[in-house]
Amino acid sequence: MVHTKMFGLVVIVLFFQGCISRPTEMPVNTEDPEQVRSVALKRLLEVFGIEDPPHSLHHIKQPPQYMIDLYNTVADADGVTKDPFLLEGNTVRSFFDKVHSDQMYFFFNLSTVTKDEKILTAELHLFKLKPRATEYAYFKRHHFCQISVYLVLDKKTMHLPEGRKLLSSKLVPIHTSGWEVFSITQAVRAWNDESHNHGLLVTVRNIGGEQADSNIIHFASGRDHHESKQPMLVLFTDDGRRGVISMSSQPDGPSLSIPNEPYVPAPNRTRMARSVYDDGFSPCQRHPLYVDFEEIGWSGWIISPKGYNAYHCKGSCPFPLGQNMRPTNHATVQSIISALKLTQGVNSPCCVPDKLFSINLLYFDDDENVVLKQYDDMAAGSCGCH
C-alpha cells in the first residue's frame, strides 16, 4: 500500500512537471520510498506556491462563512473553476482582528502576504448587531447612523484628526443587523511595510454628528461573539503565477467529467494504423488521476476540496492522425515524417493534455488565516496528439 502511494505521488508530480522532466538538484533514489515521498511533496508544494505546509493547527477553527460561500461560488465540488472571471486576481485572504478592543480599534497582521502579491482590493467586514428593543425612544429620534473607517497614522493620537485618515464612510439604518463592508484598499497598500501598519479605527455617529451610544449601536467582536461574526479583513491579490500552456481556463460542459472518446480507426485506415491497435496499444485518451489530499497528509490544513481529479493523458497517436485525435498541424506533419521514415529519430506525436483547467484551494495558512487560491493548469480537460 505504501509503495502504491509513493507511485501515485510520483505520477502526480510528473504530471505537473510535464512530459520532459527537469533536472533535479540531486538524483533521487527511487528505491527509497521516504526519499521519493520527500521529493514528491516538495515539488507538489512548489506547484501550489507554498514553501512549507502549515503546522498543525492548535484547535479546529471554523472557516469564515464568507470564505466558504466565495469558494462555492467560484468552484465546483471538485474545486475546478466554474468561471475564471468570477474571482478578482487569484488569491483571497481573510484575517481576523488581533486586538479585540472596546474602542473599535482593529489590527490585522498581514505578514503572510508575500512581497510579490499585487494588492487589488481590500475590504473590512463588520457584523452590526441588532439594537436592543428597549431603546425605542432613541429609534424615534434617529433612523440612521454614520459609520466611518479611518487609517490610523499614530496610535497615540488616533482619536484626533492629525492621528488618522478617513478611508470610507456610509449611512446605515440603525434598526438593522448584518454584515457591513468597507473598502480599505488605500490603507492596505500603505502598509507596504509592517512598521507602517498601525491598524484601523471605526467611529459611529448619528446624523447630527454626535457620537452614537455604543450600547445601542455596536458590532460583534472576536472577544465575546461567535467566530463567524468576528471583524475580518478580506484581501484580494494576484501573485503573478499564471499558466502558460493552458488552452482554456473554463470548463466547456461535460468535457471535464466525461473522458475523451477513444480513437477508433475507420475501415479504410491503412494496415499500419490497424496493426497498432491490434497489438494491444490503447488510443490517446484521458484517464483518471485522483489527488487525495488526505492520503498525502495535507487534510489537516486544506478545507476544500478533499481531493480532485487531475486526469492524465495516455495512449498512442498512430498514423494517420484523424481529427478526433485533436492533433496540431505540427503533430500531423511529425506523424507523416515518422511514418515515411524521412528523418531518423523522429518519433510519433505524444498524447498530452490540450486543454487545462484551473482549480481552487481553500486552506488555513500558518497563522490560521483562511486563504482561497486559484491555480492554473491543474486538471486535464481533454487530450490530443501533439
Side-chain angles (χ1 to χ4, degrees):
M1 181 65 179
V2 173
H3 288 286
T4 302
K5 292 182 179 180
M6 295 302 107
F7 178 75
L9 283 171
V10 172
V11 170
I12 292 168
V13 172
L14 289 177
F15 168 77
F16 290 138
Q17 289 183 288
C19 288
I20 303 175
S21 61
R22 302 179 298 182
T24 56
E25 291 80 2
M26 295 181 60
V28 179
N29 179 10
T30 55
E31 300 299 320
D32 183 352
E34 288 303 316
Q35 187 180 4
V36 170
R37 180 181 179 86
S38 175
V39 173
L41 289 178
K42 183 174 182 291
R43 292 285 184 173
L44 199 55
L45 284 169
E46 290 175 3
V47 170
F48 287 106
I50 299 173
E51 292 186 7
D52 295 298
H55 302 134
S56 299
L57 302 177
H58 300 303
H59 63 282
I60 299 176
K61 294 188 65 173
Q62 178 65 32
Q65 189 61 44
Y66 174 84
M67 297 298 288
I68 295 175
D69 292 342
L70 185 61
Y71 172 84
N72 291 331
T73 299
V74 302
D76 66 14
D78 295 321
V80 177
T81 304
K82 295 177 182 177
D83 185 337
F85 302 106
L86 286 175
L87 194 64
E88 184 179 12
N90 61 5
T91 308
V92 185
R93 299 178 182 273
S94 61
F95 304 87
F96 285 133
D97 170 47
K98 298 295 185 181
V99 178
H100 312 313
S101 169
D102 288 327
Q103 302 179 13
M104 295 292 285
Y105 169 73
F106 305 102
F107 181 83
F108 302 93
N109 184 356
L110 307 185
S111 60
T112 54
V113 180
T114 60
K115 296 296 183 183
D116 56 357
E117 287 185 58
K118 180 181 179 182
I119 295 171
L120 304 175
T121 301
E123 299 173 342
L124 176 64
H125 292 225
L126 299 176
F127 190 89
K128 183 176 175 296
L129 297 169
K130 196 172 183 64
R132 298 179 182 86
T134 55
E135 304 296 339
Y136 179 73
Y138 188 90
F139 298 150
K140 290 189 67 175
R141 288 183 288 116
H142 305 285
H143 301 285
F144 290 89
C145 62
Q146 184 173 35
I147 304 174
S148 300
V149 181
Y150 293 89
L151 169 66
V152 175
L153 303 176
D154 185 344
K155 191 175 177 182
K156 295 179 181 178
T157 58
M158 64 181 178
H159 293 288
L160 301 175
E162 62 269 22
R164 64 193 188 190
K165 179 181 179 181
L166 181 63
L167 296 172
S168 181
S169 184
K170 66 178 178 179
L171 292 177
V172 175
I174 290 178
H175 65 278
T176 61
S177 66
W179 286 103
E180 299 294 342
V181 180
F182 303 86
S183 174
I184 56 169
T185 308
Q186 185 181 359
V188 176
R189 286 177 178 168
W191 298 337
N192 54 0
D193 188 301
E194 276 299 300
S195 62
H196 298 159
N197 181 1
H198 301 295
L200 302 168
L201 179 69
V202 176
T203 64
V204 182
R205 298 184 180 278
N206 57 38
I207 299 299
E210 300 172 348
Q211 184 170 337
D213 189 339
S214 60
N215 292 322
I216 301 173
I217 303 170
H218 55 299
F219 298 85
S221 68
R223 185 183 64 259
D224 53 5
H225 293 93
H226 192 270
E227 285 183 346
S228 64
K229 296 179 180 178
Q230 286 189 66
M232 181 174 61
L233 187 155
V234 179
L235 189 61
F236 294 80
T237 68
D238 195 306
D239 64 5
R241 292 166 57 91
R242 290 295 178 183
V244 294
I245 61 172
S246 177
M247 302 297 177
S248 173
S249 300
Q250 184 177 3
D252 51 359
S255 64
L256 193 64
S257 56
I258 302 176
N260 298 117
E261 290 298 322
Y263 174 73
V264 180
N268 61 349
R269 297 293 187 193
T270 63
R271 180 178 180 81
M272 182 186 300
R274 287 195 301 271
S275 64
V276 171
Y277 288 87
D278 291 342
D279 288 343
F281 288 94
S282 298
C284 175
Q285 57 186 304
R286 194 179 65 162
H287 297 267
L289 174 60
Y290 190 73
V291 183
D292 190 328
F293 293 133
E294 182 176 4
E295 187 175 89
I296 60 179
W298 288 5
S299 60
W301 54 278
I302 292 183
I303 303 166
S304 290
K306 302 304 180 185
Y308 82 102
N309 206 333
Y311 294 98
H312 71 115
C313 299
K314 185 172 68 173
S316 59
C317 296
F319 173 83
L321 294 177
Q323 287 305 307
N324 56 342
M325 300 298 286
R326 306 167 71 94
T328 61
N329 288 337
H330 180 272
T332 301
V333 172
Q334 180 175 329
S335 175
I336 293 170
I337 298 300
S338 175
L340 296 178
K341 296 181 172 28
L342 297 178
T343 302
Q344 288 198 1
V346 177
N347 298 322
S348 298
C350 290
C351 177
V352 296
D354 64 355
K355 185 178 290 186
L356 293 165
F357 299 143
S358 62
I359 68 162
N360 301 264
L361 287 191
L362 187 68
Y363 63 91
F364 289 104
D365 68 13
D366 218 11
D367 202 29
E368 297 190 355
N369 300 309
V370 175
V371 181
L372 169 60
K373 200 167 183 66
Q374 196 170 91
Y375 300 90
D376 288 343
D377 304 342
M378 295 295 287
S382 60
C383 301
C385 292
H386 290 199

